[in-house]
Amino acid sequence: MRPKLAVLVSGTGSLLEAIIRQDLNISFVLADRECRGIDIAKQAGIPCTVLRRTFWKRKDAGFDAAFSNARLAYTLETLHFLRRQQIALVAMAGYMTILDQTMFVALDGYAGRILNTHPSLLPAFKGKHPVRDALAYGVKITGCTVHIATPELDSGRILGQAAVPVLDGDTEAVLHERIKVEERKLYPQIIREQFAAL
Ligand code: GRF
């Protein structure tokens, strides 16, 4: 049987569209909320499900036990779901939930088999607002990074990068879109390579 690929989405799904365009044979699309990514999967005839995320960290909280427990439960549900579908490789494509580390460990989890793309040249500008942070810092070149996802956010082994110039007058939205043009080329190419290496 061919190894199966799942794509995880939360948003507009333009990376998912790019992966579909490259004939990468996606077996499943999983979302943490209703989003355009799910509509794209449906239109393309790809099996898809929303495992709705219902927990959020309280802004003022330091350690929040209820949040940690809910996140672990959600991660296990996601993990079991992918296992039942016999997924071999997972590509996060604008997926906005930080899963519990259980997802990334060996044996039970998908250690080394979860890919992510991040709109900065890692290790610069990790976190939630990499494009905004790059603009605020005043860098002249930024870009995107495809890497192995690990429990530590935006930190796994780098598989590929593309540079993008920051232009005078760039807004966060304009610059992010220019970065996404590169991500739509780089990510499918790297997923294909990782798939071939399975
Ligand atoms: C990409 O820039 C990705 O790196 C980031 O979210 C964006 C996803 O875009 N994590 P889309 O939802 O696929 O259009």
Side-chain angles (χ1 to χ4, degrees):
M1 194 178 68
R2 268 182 83 178
K4 290 180 161 186
L5 169 70
V7 178
L8 271 47
V9 294
S10 303
T12 53
S14 71
L15 291 175
L16 172 63
E17 279 175 312
I19 297 166
I20 293 170
R21 271 199 301 275
Q22 293 298 315
D23 287 331
L24 268 160
N25 203 11
I26 303 167
S27 295
F28 215 92
V29 171
L30 193 58
D32 60 357
R33 66 198 77 184
E34 293 294 342
C35 58
R36 182 171 169 267
I38 282 289
D39 300 336
I40 289 165
K42 285 181 186 157
Q43 277 159 25
I46 300 169
C48 56
T49 291
V50 178
L51 280 185
R52 198 178 311 279
R53 169 177 157 192
T54 54
F55 56 94
W56 309 94
K57 193 167 185 165
R58 279 181 291 133
K59 277 224 163 67
D60 53 344
F63 175 70
D64 182 341
F67 171 81
S68 298
N69 288 340
R71 178 160 73 180
L72 177 58
Y74 183 82
T75 301
L76 291 175
E77 196 184 347
T78 304
L79 190 53
H80 292 149
F81 192 87
L82 295 171
R83 286 236 170 271
R84 272 202 305 278
Q85 299 292 329
Q86 297 180 301
I87 297 299
L89 187 70
V90 179
M92 295 180 171
Y95 184 67
M96 298 304 288
T97 296
I98 299 172
L99 296 168
D100 182 86
Q101 59 175 357
T102 315
M103 187 74 187
F104 306 95
V105 299
L107 297 179
D108 291 336
Y110 276 85
R113 288 183 292 131
I114 305 179
L115 310 180
N116 186 40
T117 174
H118 183 77
S120 78
L121 290 176
L122 290 173
F125 308 119
K126 297 179 180 184
K128 233 175 160 182
H129 303 293
V131 181
R132 191 184 304 173
D133 294 346
L135 272 176
Y137 201 91
V139 295
K140 298 297 176 201
I141 294 175
T142 183
C144 57
T145 303
V146 176
H147 64 97
I148 302 279
T150 58
E152 201 187 330
L153 207 60
D154 304 326
S155 294
R157 183 163 62 88
I158 291 176
L159 301 173
Q161 290 184 308
V164 173
V166 180
L167 304 180
D168 287 347
D170 266 352
T171 61
E172 185 179 0
V174 167
L175 178 56
H176 196 175
E177 186 49 39
R178 195 173 323 114
I179 294 170
K180 289 212 290 188
V181 170
E182 295 306 317
E183 286 187 289
R184 291 179 200 124
K185 291 185 241 165
L186 182 67
Y187 204 23
Q189 182 191 320
I190 290 187
I191 294 171
R192 190 182 298 287
E193 286 167 16
Q194 294 296 306
F195 216 28
L198 282 177

